[in-house]
Amino acid sequence: MPSLLRFISAFNTFCNLLTRATLAPSTSLNGWSLDDRDPQVIQQLLPLLDWFYHDYFHVQTSGWEHIPATGRVLLIGSHNGGMVAPDLYMVMHDWYQRFGVERPAYALMNPTIWRLLPGLARLGTQVGTLRAHPKMALAALQRDASLLIYPGGAQDLFRPYTERHKIHFQGRHGFIKLALETETPIVPLISHGAHETLIILADLYPQLQQLHQLGMPWPFGIDPEVWPIYLGLPWGIAIGPLPNIPFPVQIHTRVCPPIVFERYGDEAAHDPDYVHECYETVRNTMQSELDKLTQEVSSTKKPGIFRDSRFLESRS
């Protein structure tokens, strides 16, 4: 009961903040300004993050000693768990607990969210989200702020359940060029469990793309990039990138040691072979770390709902 009462109080605060953000002028909180980040709003959201962290997902984390107490880092993560992306918010919780709400940190977000969910997007702007645009990423690092990027985007968020232990960056090299141009160390973030908060069976986007080429318009006039079919709350079986209520699965997160490259600067950032080499270094390092974390968790986890994936994998 105390846990439920804490959740109700924290959720009520969230709803009030969301209402204010939704009613804000359409020209404000649009992800184009670093100054929209509001530590007071973040402070008010901490109880809700704390409830999910301790009471719902029972998060275990490690490796935060790899982030220096001052200075900027480029945090690179692998997205999980559909549109809700619960591991993202759990990492945010850890950041605030260790460094406070005043230390500047931002995250890039797909600009379409401002069209589909403008209220949530504006509230996210107050927490530190920026439009996923090169000039905003560069502006954050030039201000000596840390920046969180999930290169895999929507395809990573909604990758099939059978690929939940795979780093999935879609061959996007932009974050490497950014690190090289600004001489910023990359700190990888990995997680285990968040991709079990909903069970993504398949991605029907290739079929949808064929229908679009035959004349069918995109929903809301926006190319969704993915069109998953999944098992999740509250829908049961759902089709399309809909919001969901995540299953209460334990989440493990880990901050990996920084990756520093041999060469930096504009020349390095405009060398395609070198950029690809750095990209593969990051991807392979993160895959190795995720494999280790998965093995560690599997060796201590008891079978339960979604713990034994053989049933699902046999049908993929």
Side-chain angles (χ1 to χ4, degrees), residues 61-243:
T61 192
S62 61
W64 283 87
E65 69 277 4
H66 295 307
I67 297 181
T70 59
R72 71 187 184 212
V73 293
L74 190 56
L75 302 161
I76 300 300
S78 178
H79 252 335
N80 292 282
M83 190 175 291
V84 176
D87 51 340
L88 162 62
Y89 299 100
M90 299 302 95
V91 165
M92 288 170 53
H93 174 278
D94 276 310
W95 177 278
Y96 300 138
Q97 294 301 313
R98 283 158 175 78
F99 305 120
V101 300
E102 297 291 342
R103 182 176 179 181
Y106 296 88
L108 299 186
M109 185 166 68
N110 192 315
T112 59
I113 302 299
W114 273 271
R115 292 177 59 186
L116 293 175
L117 300 167
L120 280 173
R122 292 175 191 168
L123 179 58
T125 301
Q126 293 179 294
V127 176
T129 56
L130 302 169
R131 289 185 183 253
H133 190 282
K135 79 171 187 178
M136 298 311 300
L138 186 59
L141 294 179
Q142 287 176 337
R143 193 175 286 193
D144 211 26
S146 293
L147 182 65
L148 173 60
I149 299 177
Y150 288 91
Q155 293 91 342
D156 198 19
L157 277 173
F158 287 100
R159 68 188 185 279
Y161 182 82
T162 53
E163 297 180 17
R164 64 195 180 282
H165 301 319
K166 299 293 183 182
I167 300 298
H168 200 55
F169 283 164
Q170 292 291 306
R172 292 169 180 154
H173 294 64
F175 71 98
I176 296 293
K177 296 178 182 178
L178 180 65
L180 295 177
E181 288 174 356
T182 60
E183 299 187 22
T184 304
I186 285 178
V187 174
L189 303 175
I190 59 171
S191 70
H192 179 283
H195 218 68
E196 298 181 23
T197 61
L198 83 167
I199 308 301
I200 302 164
L201 303 176
D203 183 8
L204 303 180
Y205 180 76
Q207 291 77 15
L208 193 69
Q209 193 174 39
Q210 289 180 354
L211 293 175
H212 175 70
Q213 292 171 350
L214 293 174
M216 185 190 77
W218 292 120
F220 306 105
I222 299 174
D223 183 346
E225 301 181 22
V226 292
W227 200 256
I229 176 170
Y230 64 81
L231 303 175
L233 299 174
W235 319 107
I237 296 181
I239 299 178
L242 298 172

Side-chain angles (χ1 to χ4, degrees), residues 266-285:
D266 289 340
E267 184 178 346
H270 289 87
D271 181 341
D273 292 336
Y274 183 66
V275 168
H276 182 69
E277 178 185 332
C278 294
Y279 170 88
E280 287 298 321
T281 296
V282 174
R283 190 183 64 82
N284 291 335
T285 298

